[in-house]
Amino acid sequence: MRSRIGVGIVGFGTVGTGVATILLHNAALISRRVGVPVELIRVADRDITRDRGLRLNPGLLTTDASAVLTDPNIDVVIELIGGYDTAKRIILDAIAAGKHVVTANKALLALHGEEIFDAATRKGVDVGFEASVGGGIPVVRALTEGLAGNTIESIYGIINGTSNYILSRMTHEGHSFQEVLQDAQHAGYAEADPTFDIAGIDSAHKLAILVNLAYGTPVNFKDIYTEGITSITPTDIAYAKQFGCTIKLLGIAKLVDGEIEARVHPTMLPSTSPIAQVEGVYNAIQLVGDAVGDVVLYGRGAGSMPTGSAVVSDVIAIGRDVRKGIVGRVPVASFQQDQRRPIRLRSMEEISSLYYLRFTVVDRPGVLAQIAGELGRCGISIASMVQQGRCEGQTVPVVIKTHSAKERDVQTAICEINRKPFVSEPTMLIRIEGKDE
Ligand code: NDP
Ligand code: HSE
């Protein structure tokens, strides 16, 4: 029987510091839950002189990541450096050395998860990645264990705190995207280069992981349609409010006739729905299972301690199994590796949705008829229309909400309408989730 579980961290930054803090401060509690102490053996970082606000035995610190991989006292290697190449090498080397691995690296898993899962399964080690989606929210474990008896019908996730913070402030304060982005950067929510957050890429990484776990299928990250929040304006937010809706950046996955829709884009939701009410940097994921119905998970999607909490939960799960001499009790990607099946991901043009379309047009007789005519020719049915104010000869917004329509048809119609001489700006399109009334 094991007398302890040895842990090594590579990457002593924001999350690494949180993990070390939890392992030290909650050591007695963790030991009671695992059955033996979980001991931090080595911590590697490029810079081991910087004050991280945590007193560690200096003998633990090293600048050499390989010292963690080769230490025979370490059972679990925690990769927290981020990025692709070096992180992947560290994880695969750790697996090859027979170590269990825990990571928060959603970008790496979205692109190279299959290779990592295969390597771990072949070697007979576990890989934990609870922190990779939703920070401290236990959504990975919900899909792999708590909801394992369900067919997952749909997933709706606010899985990027930075964009939710920006959209929340735009909604409540009426500021423009650029103004709020600058505030988010000053407040330290957005990265210095916030591209992955605001362009939807971070959400798409996380959605790829959720789809993989929910449906037991490898996901080609490039097949996930991804659109960010940079073109959302205060005007669209004001119209959304008028319709009783809120705009959120959602990761959406649905099982439709045995195929999967997976997409990330700004979405109008009824303001009364649970995830429409998620504000600021918080994350929420709404899962619908065929047996359980709706489940909504809500919490902090980032930060040192919340993300550290998720990482430590993986260490505890692995520690419990190591103590019992068990490996692979829960398959790495939820389904038994040899039971995972390719499922077709629908292309964006195949999906159906309700749409908000904001046309910017010259206010003159006949314009509305031409827009309606083009929509009609493409088989798109109008649910409602708003044109506020009257500015003959000037530019005005005309907003149309559609009944359920095919994306391919809507794109064709918009393309045609944008070519008309009375259109002065490209048409804004936002998909709506809700009842077709
Ligand atoms: P940080 O940049 O704060 O920390 C990473 C640390 O690893 C830095 O100190 C970095 O040093 C060090 N490092 C980089 N390369 C090496 C190397 N080859 N050997 C040793 N040390 C190295 O990142 P975070 O803690 O924020 O993120 C870590 C991971 O967690 C990422 O994958 C991220 O996506 C994920 N994550 C982060 C969340 C958060 O809230 N921050 C939330 C959820 C997931 P240097 O600074 O010199 O580069
Ligand atoms: N940049 C991410 C966010 C961090 O804003 O949610 C957590 O993955």
Side-chain angles (χ1 to χ4, degrees):
M1 187 65 91
R2 287 305 195 98
S3 60
R4 68 170 184 189
I5 305 297
V7 171
I9 297 175
V10 185
F12 198 30
T14 305
V15 182
T17 308
V19 171
T21 304
I22 298 167
L23 289 176
L24 296 183
H25 290 183
N26 292 350
L29 169 111
I30 292 168
S31 172
R32 286 171 60 208
R33 290 201 161 129
V34 173
V36 291
V38 172
E39 200 174 314
L40 190 52
I41 310 271
R42 301 289 271 176
V43 177
D45 197 280
R46 281 205 278 245
D47 178 357
I48 55 171
T49 58
R50 199 185 317 159
D51 181 8
R52 315 273 175 170
L54 179 68
R55 281 169 66 95
L56 283 186
N57 176 348
L60 260 58
L61 293 168
T62 174
T63 52
D64 178 13
S66 64
V68 176
L69 309 186
T70 53
D71 190 321
N73 295 315
I74 290 179
D75 302 288
V76 186
V77 171
I78 308 178
E79 179 280 307
L80 295 171
I81 65 171
Y84 298 99
D85 294 345
T86 308
K88 183 174 157 196
R89 187 178 46 71
I90 286 171
I91 289 175
L92 291 177
D93 285 355
I95 290 171
K99 312 287 188 196
H100 304 285
V101 169
V102 176
T103 180
N105 195 334
K106 62 257 173 167
L108 178 66
L109 289 173
L111 269 73
H112 302 289
E114 291 311 310
E115 190 180 343
I116 291 168
F117 299 157
D118 279 341
T121 306
R122 276 199 310 275
K123 187 69 185 177
V125 296
D126 280 317
V127 178
F129 47 94
E130 181 62 74
S132 63
V133 185
I137 301 173
V139 62
V140 169
R141 206 151 277 114
L143 281 171
T144 52
E145 299 195 60
L147 302 177
N150 286 258
T151 295
I152 301 299
E153 293 173 348
S154 60
I155 302 171
Y156 294 91
I158 294 177
I159 40 184
N160 183 265
T162 303
S163 35
N164 202 50
Y165 169 84
I166 293 172
L167 289 176
S168 299
R169 287 209 44 204
M170 287 175 72
T171 300
H172 297 299
E173 296 164 27
H175 294 311
S176 71
F177 171 80
Q178 277 305 335
E179 285 168 326
V180 186
L181 174 61
Q182 275 167 19
D183 283 359
Q185 282 171 306
H186 287 143
Y189 295 132
E191 311 285 328
D193 175 4
T195 315
F196 273 25
D197 294 316
I198 60 176
I201 297 164
D202 179 68
S203 295
H205 286 149
K206 293 166 180 168
L207 186 67
I209 294 169
L210 294 180
V211 169
N212 197 326
L213 294 174
Y215 301 109
T217 188
V219 177
N220 185 347
F221 174 69
K222 293 193 187 97
D223 291 342
I224 296 184
Y225 174 83
T226 305
E227 187 184 309
I229 59 168
T230 48
S231 54
I232 300 291
T233 65
T235 307
D236 300 308
I237 288 178
Y239 276 112
K241 278 186 193 165
Q242 207 173 314
F243 299 137
C245 287
T246 304
I247 300 176
K248 294 289 183 191
L249 180 68
L250 290 192
I252 300 175
K254 295 181 186 178
L255 190 62
V256 186
D257 299 332
E259 298 182 336
I260 297 170
E261 283 181 16
R263 46 196 164 100
V264 171
H265 51 70
T267 309
M268 278 194 192
L269 291 165
S271 300
T272 48
S273 73
I275 53 174
Q277 293 166 46
V278 173
E279 302 284 3
V281 287
Y282 275 84
N283 282 197
I285 301 116
Q286 181 172 9
L287 303 165
V288 182
D290 63 344
V292 72
D294 282 289
V295 173
V296 181
L297 302 164
Y298 167 83
R300 292 177 199 277
S304 178
M305 295 295 275
T307 313
S309 159
V311 170
V312 172
S313 80
D314 282 336
V315 172
I316 290 174
I318 291 171
R320 285 168 168 157
D321 287 350
V322 169
R323 180 173 166 264
K324 292 281 184 187
I326 303 167
V327 173
R329 184 184 60 81
V330 180
V332 185
S334 183
F335 288 65
Q336 299 296 336
Q337 200 65 5
D338 62 359
Q339 293 298 314
R340 288 154 46 73
R341 309 258 187 271
I343 306 180
R344 184 171 171 270
L345 242 61
R346 290 190 168 181
S347 71
M348 195 58 187
E349 54 177 28
E350 292 173 89
I351 75 143
S352 292
S353 178
L354 315 179
Y355 292 85
Y356 157 99
L357 306 173
R358 177 170 56 77
F359 302 95
T360 307
V361 294
V362 178
D363 188 9
R364 65 168 184 249
V367 163
L368 192 55
Q370 289 194 57
I371 292 174
E374 202 59 63
L375 292 174
R377 260 190 294 285
C378 291
I380 299 156
S381 168
I382 296 171
S384 63
M385 199 282 296
V386 181
Q387 185 198 327
Q388 275 159 346
R390 177 95 224 281
C391 313
E392 182 118 21
Q394 311 253 306
T395 295
V396 288
V398 170
V399 170
I400 285 177
K401 281 206 299 176
T402 74
H403 288 298
S404 181
K406 281 228 150 41
E407 176 89 13
R408 180 189 290 121
D409 297 337
V410 173
Q411 294 294 354
T412 305
I414 289 179
C415 210
E416 284 305 316
I417 294 168
N418 281 349
R419 274 203 264 267
K420 307 270 186 210
F422 57 77
V423 173
S424 60
E425 275 178 31
T427 299
M428 180 68 181
L429 173 159
I430 302 177
R431 296 164 193 90
I432 305 172
E433 283 291 323
K435 288 204 185 85
D436 190 0
E437 294 167 328

